[in-house]
Amino acid sequence: MTVLAGPHATAVEASVERLVFVREDEYTVARVSADGVGEFVASGRALAGVQPGETVRLTGEWDRHPRHGGRLVVELCERVVPSTVRAIRLYLGSGLIRGIGPRLAHAIVSHFGEQTLTVIDTAPERLTEVINIGVTRQAQIVQAWAEQKAIAALMIVLQGFGVSPLLAAKIYQVFGDDSGEVLATDPYRLIGRVRGIAFHTADRIALRSGVPESSPRRVQAAVVDRLDSAAARDGHCFLPLPALVAAVAELVGQDDDLVHRAVDALAAERRVVVEASPSDPGQAVVYAKEQHAREVALAGHLARLLTARSTLPMRAYAEDESLDEDQRAAVNLALTSTVSVITGGPGCGKSHTLKVIAATVRAMGGTVTLAAPTGKAARRLSELTGLPATTVHRLLARRPEPEEGLLFHRSPAEADLVVVDEASMLDLHLATRLASAIPSGGHLLLVGDGDQLPSIGPGSVLADLLRVPGIPRVRLTRVFRQAQDSGIVRAAHRVRAGELPGLPGGGGFWFEELADPEQVADRVVHLATVAIPRKQSVTADRVQVLCPMRGGVTGTAELGRRLQERLNPAREGAPEHWSGPSVFRAGDRVMPIRNNYDKGVFNGETATVTAVDPQERLIEIRTDEGETVRYSFGELDELSHAYAISVHRSQGSEYPFVVAPIVAEAGGVMLRRQLLYTLVTRAKSWVVLVGDREALELAVHRTGRRRHTGLAPRLALALDG
């Protein structure tokens, strides 16, 4: 171990004891220890990706921090093989090598001493000399050791390209032993395959590897990336050709002709589809192949359902006297139209109407399936109607045997009537799967609020259907008496109309004016963790913080970190694991942000972390559905903390109390009427907005941009034909 100290620079070999803090930009604070120096704090972006147990050679300068005291500001971090007995024991017992925990690490190092890593590397069969290590455990350790060495080597390669070493494990998870070859020969293959790698990252690797800026492969990768980004970020199903060409030309710094040739080449390979705009034949548009196929398929299946003869048993039924005229029209529509839509704002009786529809179909001898896009929305639907409900994902994934009390006796999608609530959340992919599963003659009823945000995924299915004249629909507009007294309902309807709610509010809606974003963040955390729980005599988990954006001091990342430290801080001796800027602890509230059909969890569900197991390198969660699911440390980018979530991810959920910052950080680009309306309608008892009045006015008056979709004209054309 070498320690070089001087007035300006220090080089020290140290063991990483624990991570203290990791910021979104990868700035990392860690506690490390070195012989002759003891334990101290090291900080800097150069530490990105270090894990407890690793031995690193740090180069930097000493300074003093008001909180941490003396610290080493790191300019260079190099991973080295631990050489001392203590460092080797710490390394093996840290969980970096799956299958080895602290006790087994102690036994292995006690047996082999300083030669431990050499034995694992060159004579791994000798591991069976250690008690509790059999052939199976020995093979597991050898495989995990090889993976860790490969990932460490990838980290060095990535750092040489100026790319975050945090991506190494993700790349290895996808490409395995071929990772090095992919980086060297075709880094554009990383795009879309490795989460967190878009064009900019792959392009940096490619250009530093000598790929020419005018390479057709480079420009084609940029075209695909712009289409994928438009779908993921803005929900577009296609881009107009001129807009796509301009965006790609700017991205790669090349002329338009080269981009046009790249688009033509991709079209020839059937990776993209270039066609006349469904709504404007004079304009060319470009789809990613998958988006085009889904949009065409969805239009076809909806046309099939709309034109099929109903198989719903029709018998005389007594009209429910509790319904108003519009609600009775909605019931009749659901019974007579094979595809129909019911829309309406809060307090307009959608849930009661659904309950009557389901009861009427059952009384006529038919079967009903009630579904919603998320687990929370399905539970809420079940509570409001008193009938069983499932998620759309599970509806499509299973074919249960008939059970007593269920409303369906075949596949749930083959019921006489399939009802999907919160239909504004249906994206193109899920809607296509749903429509394809319903047999001709079955009825599909979509229920939702067309003024809410569109789906997280690409498409705007509900809004598109409402633009097709041939789709039967009823809009419920009457706000019932019991809802008129709700300040939340009153505020929501004013926002939907483009009017500022009465301020500061009352009856469940409240606006607290603060201008400084830092003060807003502090106030939101205090309200969510202290003020509201104390005043309402509830626990803090009954309060949900919703944010219009991710970044900034009032975004989901920073507020989520503050809330976690307040509600579930680090505990001495309790295991935790850092994955990028997120630390996972038992007791954390989390949310899957990707559908994982193998695990049976879906985007938008919520769960609680029940265990963090460093030895097996996994965490265990228990979903609100009561299911236990395990995620390896390499899969944690599929989970997000749920202390503060985006308004988009709150769709379909209802919370007793909601607190939200409303500030114009970063220009307030996310502040729009649909977002504010969706936010307000997520609260059941109280919603408290904290922020700038001008930002609130901006949100009320600014409307959202329509997504580029072709479903409406495709379906209208199919019905006309």
Side-chain angles (χ1 to χ4, degrees):
M1 189 274 296
T2 302
V3 177
L4 298 175
H8 300 297
T10 294
V12 57
E13 190 171 297
S15 297
V16 180
E17 300 289 335
R18 65 184 179 90
L19 298 180
V20 176
F21 178 80
V22 182
R23 207 163 58 192
E24 289 287 316
D25 63 358
E26 299 181 357
Y27 175 85
T28 301
V29 178
R31 294 203 68 85
V32 302
S33 62
D35 293 344
V37 180
E39 188 170 301
F40 61 95
V41 171
S43 65
R45 293 187 65 186
L47 289 170
V50 298
Q51 292 291 319
E54 289 186 313
T55 299
V56 291
R57 183 177 293 111
L58 306 176
T59 303
E61 297 185 1
W62 292 100
D63 77 352
R64 292 200 64 80
H65 186 272
R67 179 180 175 186
H68 301 295
R71 65 173 181 177
L72 183 65
V73 179
V74 179
E75 298 174 359
L76 177 65
C77 173
E78 303 169 276
R79 288 165 175 80
V80 297
V81 177
S83 55
T84 67
V85 168
R86 179 185 179 279
I88 294 171
R89 185 184 297 116
L90 179 64
Y91 177 67
L92 291 182
S94 67
L96 282 168
I97 309 301
R98 188 174 62 255
I100 302 181
R103 289 185 180 180
L104 190 56
H106 186 275
I108 294 172
V109 177
S110 295
H111 188 78
F112 295 114
E114 293 183 353
Q115 299 302 309
T116 295
L117 299 184
T118 301
V119 168
I120 297 175
D121 228 3
T122 62
E125 66 279 358
R126 291 192 59 196
L127 286 170
T128 56
E129 297 174 11
V130 179
I131 192 169
N132 291 330
I133 296 183
V135 175
T136 301
R137 176 64 64 87
Q138 180 256 352
Q140 182 185 26
I141 292 172
V142 170
Q143 180 182 357
W145 171 254
E147 290 177 0
Q148 188 61 29
K149 286 183 64 178
I151 291 171
L154 276 178
M155 285 183 169
I156 296 173
V157 172
L158 291 175
Q159 285 177 313
F161 287 124
V163 173
S164 170
L166 294 175
L167 296 170
K170 298 178 184 179
I171 294 172
Y172 188 83
Q173 191 174 12
V174 175
F175 292 101
D177 293 337
D178 295 330
S179 299
E181 182 181 354
V182 170
L183 288 174
T185 61
D186 191 4
Y188 295 113
R189 287 179 62 193
L190 301 171
I191 302 173
R193 299 283 303 280
V194 179
R195 188 170 174 82
I197 295 186
F199 178 81
H200 286 289
T201 301
D203 195 45
R204 175 179 294 180
I205 298 171
L207 292 177
R208 293 196 179 188
S209 299
V211 173
E213 291 187 0
S214 60
S215 164
R217 178 74 183 91
R218 177 176 183 248
V219 183
Q220 289 174 25
V223 171
V224 173
D225 178 78
R226 290 301 85 188
L227 289 173
D228 289 346
S229 296
R233 185 185 63 247
D234 300 316
H236 296 315
C237 295
F238 66 78
L239 285 177
L241 179 59
L244 174 63
V245 169
V248 174
E250 180 180 1
L251 181 63
V252 299
Q254 301 297 309
D255 60 44
D256 291 359
D257 288 342
L258 196 61
V259 180
H260 277 289
R261 290 199 293 271
V263 173
D264 291 342
L266 290 168
E269 296 173 9
R270 297 185 179 181
R271 295 176 60 191
V272 303
V273 176
V274 182
E275 66 178 22
S277 168
S279 57
D280 181 5
Q283 181 186 66
V285 300
V286 185
Y287 285 83
K289 179 182 66 175
E290 296 80 7
Q291 305 295 359
H292 184 267
R294 288 168 183 161
E295 192 174 271
V296 171
L298 179 55
H301 284 299
L302 289 173
R304 169 180 61 81
L305 293 174
L306 277 161
T307 56
R309 184 175 181 178
S310 172
T311 57
L312 180 68
M314 289 300 293
R315 300 176 188 168
Y317 67 95
E319 290 191 349
D320 193 306
E321 295 299 325
S322 67
L323 303 179
D324 69 7
E325 183 178 350
D326 287 341
Q327 290 176 307
R328 285 195 290 272
V331 173
N332 185 64
L333 191 73
L335 299 178
T336 57
S337 300
T338 49
V339 176
S340 56
V341 178
I342 299 175
T343 63
C348 291
K350 295 192 300 294
S351 299
H352 181 61
T353 305
L354 282 185
K355 184 174 183 179
V356 172
I357 289 171
T360 302
V361 171
R362 297 178 72 191
M364 295 166 58
T367 55
V368 181
T369 292
L370 299 181
T374 66
K376 275 195 172 183
R379 285 195 302 277
R380 184 179 172 210
L381 176 61
S382 181
E383 292 167 359
L384 292 171
T385 62
L387 299 169
T390 184
T391 65
V392 178
H393 295 286
R394 289 186 169 86
L395 180 156
L396 299 171
R398 61 178 183 167
R399 289 179 174 270
E401 293 297 322
E403 295 180 31
E404 187 67 28
L406 288 182
L407 299 180
F408 42 78
H409 302 284
R410 299 160 290 182
S411 162
E414 295 175 358
D416 295 305
L417 172 64
V418 175
V419 179
V420 178
D421 196 18
E422 298 287 354
S424 62
M425 299 176 65
L426 286 176
D427 63 15
L428 183 62
H429 175 59
L430 189 57
T432 302
R433 292 186 61 219
L434 172 67
S436 68
I438 298 175
S440 298
H443 287 223
L444 172 63
L445 171 61
L446 302 179
V447 183
D449 189 340
D451 294 304
Q452 288 192 22
L453 286 169
S455 57
I456 293 177
S460 52
V461 175
L462 181 63
D464 283 349
L465 293 185
L466 293 173
R467 286 195 285 269
V468 179
I471 299 293
R473 85 284 306 274
V474 169
R475 181 179 180 88
L476 304 179
T477 57
R478 176 189 171 190
V479 180
F480 284 85
R481 187 171 184 178
Q482 62 268 32
Q484 292 176 358
D485 295 332
S486 167
I488 294 172
V489 172
R490 291 197 303 269
H493 282 282
R494 287 184 66 87
V495 169
R496 188 182 65 179
E499 300 172 358
L500 197 67
L503 301 180
F509 173 85
W510 189 262
F511 177 72
E512 186 169 321
E513 189 166 1
L514 282 175
D516 180 63
E518 188 70 43
Q519 292 180 342
V520 170
D522 290 341
R523 183 58 176 162
V524 166
V525 171
H526 180 74
L527 283 167
T529 60
V530 179
I532 292 177
R534 180 185 297 162
K535 183 176 180 62
Q536 300 294 333
S537 300
V538 297
T539 54
D541 61 0
R542 303 280 287 172
V543 185
Q544 180 63 57
V545 173
L546 302 181
C547 303
M549 64 190 82
R550 174 174 173 77
V553 69
T554 61
T556 58
E558 179 59 24
L559 281 180
R561 183 194 300 276
R562 295 188 187 194
L563 289 163
Q564 182 188 31
E565 288 306 309
R566 183 73 65 90
L567 298 172
N568 192 28
R571 298 184 300 278
E572 186 71 29
E576 62 180 31
H577 179 73
W578 284 85
S579 176
S582 300
V583 58
F584 290 89
R585 303 174 181 132
D588 279 339
R589 290 291 290 166
V590 293
M591 172 181 288
I593 57 175
R594 296 177 65 188
N595 296 331
N596 190 317
Y597 291 92
D598 293 333
K599 296 182 186 296
V601 293
F602 304 102
N603 188 351
E605 296 182 340
T606 49
T608 301
V609 176
T610 53
V612 178
D613 188 338
Q615 179 172 331
E616 296 302 321
R617 296 188 62 77
L618 58 82
I619 74 166
E620 182 180 271
I621 68 172
R622 186 172 181 81
T623 71
D624 290 348
E625 303 290 326
E627 298 176 1
T628 298
V629 183
R630 292 183 170 186
Y631 283 84
S632 71
F633 284 175
E635 298 174 312
L636 293 183
D637 59 355
E638 295 186 13
L639 289 179
S640 175
H641 287 91
Y643 293 104
I645 64 175
S646 70
V647 179
H648 237 131
R649 295 200 181 279
S650 73
Q651 285 178 273
S653 299
E654 186 178 67
Y655 310 97
F657 305 96
V658 167
V659 183
I662 303 293
V663 298
E665 280 193 285
V669 293
M670 297 301 294
L671 292 177
R672 299 181 185 277
R673 187 182 303 165
Q674 283 180 306
L675 182 140
L676 181 61
Y677 176 74
T678 304
L679 189 164
V680 171
T681 56
R682 296 310 90 202
K684 184 176 182 179
S685 298
W686 272 92
V687 58
V688 182
L689 309 182
V690 182
D692 183 0
R693 183 186 177 107
E694 291 184 2
L696 182 65
E697 292 176 345
L698 175 67
V700 168
H701 297 304
R702 186 163 60 183
T703 57
R705 293 167 293 181
R706 181 178 292 186
R707 294 179 169 184
H708 293 309
T709 67
L711 177 61
R714 285 187 199 282
L715 181 54
L717 183 63
L719 294 177
D720 290 342

